[in-house]
């Protein structure tokens, strides 16, 4: 079996192994549900995505690219088993105003008492070339596509007394403070496609040859961390920080190089009010990774900060459209 197929089979086994968790018996002194199980949310926020190509050893030269990120606003509706979410960028808040670049992003979540799956896809058609660090300035870098797709999967422990959704999405109620260890695995595919390579944009010959070769690679990172829900006033106020560290390997698909190491660190903190009808919280997250490619290290960093305002409502007494 080819290494690529072995990788895909392994990822499939890791994902499906956690899809059938045993029944969780929750301690009602620590966890409770809400009478209103359906929600509608609005969430304004801001995110940034950066890609930094750094040299090895005596080649410390760096080449920085970033997405032309901006502030956004969105809404989320969950009714019984059906969910819908949509967000849009706010004009005039771009990192580099006056430069329009394309970005497509798709994701969804599947939650169970012990597991959470987060399939995702990001596609950047054009990036910004950072020309200064202390006082950042940017030039448009058109014609380069960066694609990434994968599945973030999480397995939570101590779920009898600790509800990760109480601190992550405020969809459950944590009555007394508790926490649990988290184990995660993230299979991912990434590709860089430079349509019209030009040495005028990249002076460093090593970085130029790397990006002009249209590299693509598969990676698998596994890690562990901890999440704790601090609650006050019988769970009406929640502070929930988490940190996860991981290590894994990557296999480049356009050369015969052996598997190389990859490091990952992610963390988040959510804090706010979780009432029986209304809830509001501030959500912050950071995810950074280091990928060892053939001639360069690719350091990727994603930051996000947003505000969630939510309302809980009861189900209709009769079926809607005969389904819900």
């Amino acid at each position: 079996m080819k290494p690529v197929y072995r990788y895909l089979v392994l990822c499939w086994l890791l994902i499906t192994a956690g899809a059938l968790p045993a029944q969780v018996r929750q301690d009602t002194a620590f966890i409770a549900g809400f009478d209103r199980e359906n929600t509608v949310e609005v969430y304004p926020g801001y995110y940034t995505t950066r890609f930094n190509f750094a040299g090895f050893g005596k080649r410390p030269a760096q080449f920085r690219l970033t997405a032309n990120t901006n502030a956004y606003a969105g809404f989320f509706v969950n009714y019984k088993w059906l969910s819908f979410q949509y967000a849009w960028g706010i004009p005039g808040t771009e990192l580099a105003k006056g430069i329009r670049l394309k970005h497509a992003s798709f994701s969804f979540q599947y939650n169970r008492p012990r597991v959470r799956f987060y399939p995702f896809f990001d596609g950047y058609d054009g990036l910004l070339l950072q020309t200064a660090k202390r006082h950042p300035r940017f030039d448009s870098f058109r014609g380069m596509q960066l694609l990434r797709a994968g599945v973030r999967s999480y397995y939570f422990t101590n779920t009898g007394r600790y509800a990760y959704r109480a601190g992550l999405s405020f969809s459950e109620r944590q009555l007394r403070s508790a926490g649990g260890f988290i184990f995660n695995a993230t299979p991912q595919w990434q590709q860089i496609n430079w349509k019209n390579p030009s040495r005028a944009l990249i002076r460093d010959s090593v970085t130029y040859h790397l990006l002009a070769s249209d590299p693509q690679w598969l990676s698998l990172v596994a890690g562990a961390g901890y999440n704790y829900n601090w609650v006050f006033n019988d769970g009406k106020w929640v502070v929930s920080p988490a940190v996860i560290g991981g290590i894994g390997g990557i296999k480049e698909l356009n050369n015969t190089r052996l598997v190389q190491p990859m490091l990952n660190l992610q963390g988040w903190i959510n804090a706010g009010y979780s009432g029986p009808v209304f809830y509001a919280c501030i959500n912050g997250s950071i995810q950074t990774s280091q990928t060892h490619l053939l001639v360069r290290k690719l350091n990727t960093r994603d930051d996000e900060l947003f505000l969630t305002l939510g309302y809980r409502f009861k189900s209709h007494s009769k079926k809607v459209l005969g389904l819900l």
Side-chain angles (χ1 to χ4, degrees):
M1 183 182 291
K2 293 183 178 180
V4 173
Y5 298 137
R6 288 200 297 266
Y7 170 89
L8 294 175
V9 170
L10 176 61
C11 294
W12 180 81
L13 290 174
L14 287 172
I15 293 172
T16 55
L20 298 173
Q23 182 67 30
V24 177
R25 182 173 299 175
Q26 295 181 332
D27 188 337
T28 56
F30 282 81
I31 302 173
F34 290 101
D35 293 334
R36 300 169 176 241
E37 297 182 345
N38 309 299
T39 59
V40 57
E41 297 177 354
V42 294
Y43 54 92
Y46 192 85
Y47 75 102
T48 59
T49 299
R50 303 179 183 91
F51 308 97
N52 181 16
F53 296 87
F56 293 100
K58 297 181 179 180
R59 300 187 63 89
Q62 296 187 350
F63 181 75
R64 300 181 182 89
L65 295 172
T66 183
N68 194 18
T69 52
N70 59 336
Y72 63 87
F75 68 91
F76 169 78
V77 178
N78 179 77
Y79 184 76
K80 294 187 177 179
W81 51 266
L82 180 64
S83 298
F84 179 78
Q85 183 175 7
Y86 183 75
W88 60 93
I90 300 175
T93 62
E94 296 85 0
L95 187 61
K97 297 177 177 61
I99 299 177
R100 301 191 65 178
L101 302 173
K102 296 180 180 179
H103 171 220
S105 179
F106 305 96
S107 65
F108 68 91
Q109 300 177 23
Y110 175 72
N111 297 308
R112 300 296 295 165
R114 285 182 177 169
V115 295
R116 177 178 185 245
F117 298 118
Y118 186 87
F120 64 92
F121 168 83
D122 283 308
Y124 300 91
D125 191 353
L127 295 167
L128 297 177
L129 175 61
Q130 186 174 336
T131 57
K133 184 177 181 180
R134 179 168 296 182
H135 302 288
R137 296 189 301 272
F138 303 96
D139 293 331
S140 60
F141 198 122
R142 302 182 185 276
M144 175 174 286
Q145 292 182 329
L146 193 148
L147 308 174
R148 53 183 181 178
V151 181
R152 299 187 185 103
S153 57
Y154 302 87
Y155 181 85
F156 300 89
T157 64
N158 194 31
T159 50
R161 294 189 170 188
Y162 149 74
Y164 72 92
R165 285 180 288 184
L168 191 64
S169 60
F170 284 31
S171 56
E172 287 189 274
R173 190 168 183 175
Q174 186 82 49
L175 301 176
R176 297 167 60 181
S177 298
F181 287 99
I182 307 172
F183 299 93
N184 83 310
T186 303
Q188 186 174 206
W189 166 83
Q190 295 188 71
Q191 181 183 34
I192 298 174
N193 176 244
W194 194 2
K195 298 177 183 178
N196 299 300
S198 171
R199 288 187 176 274
L201 295 173
I202 303 179
R203 296 180 180 179
D204 180 70
S205 59
V206 176
T207 304
Y208 171 82
H209 286 299
L210 170 65
L211 298 180
S213 66
D214 292 340
Q216 60 174 311
W217 60 95
L218 294 171
S219 64
L220 177 61
V221 176
Y226 195 78
N227 179 213
Y228 194 83
N229 292 333
W230 272 294
V231 299
F232 310 93
N233 194 14
D234 293 329
K236 290 183 178 180
W237 296 94
V238 182
V239 178
S240 180
V243 63
I244 303 174
I247 187 171
I250 73 160
K251 178 65 179 75
E252 296 176 81
L253 303 181
N254 56 338
N255 61 56
T256 58
R257 194 183 187 208
L258 298 177
V259 174
Q260 297 297 309
M262 180 177 178
L263 304 175
N264 181 268
L265 178 66
Q266 59 180 301
W268 65 80
I269 182 168
N270 304 319
Y273 172 77
S274 181
V277 179
F278 297 98
Y279 57 99
C281 60
I282 296 176
N283 315 83
S285 66
I286 179 174
Q287 180 158 229
T288 179
S289 63
Q290 183 180 92
T291 303
H292 287 226
L293 299 175
L294 180 62
V295 292
R296 279 285 186 262
K297 292 181 292 185
L298 172 57
N299 300 310
T300 304
R301 178 169 169 173
D302 299 284
D303 302 310
E304 188 171 19
L305 180 67
F306 61 98
L307 171 67
T308 300
L309 303 173
Y311 170 74
R312 309 185 202 275
F313 62 98
K314 294 183 178 181
S315 299
H316 195 271
S317 57
K318 297 181 180 180
K319 287 187 176 182
V320 178
L321 299 178
L323 296 173
L324 298 172

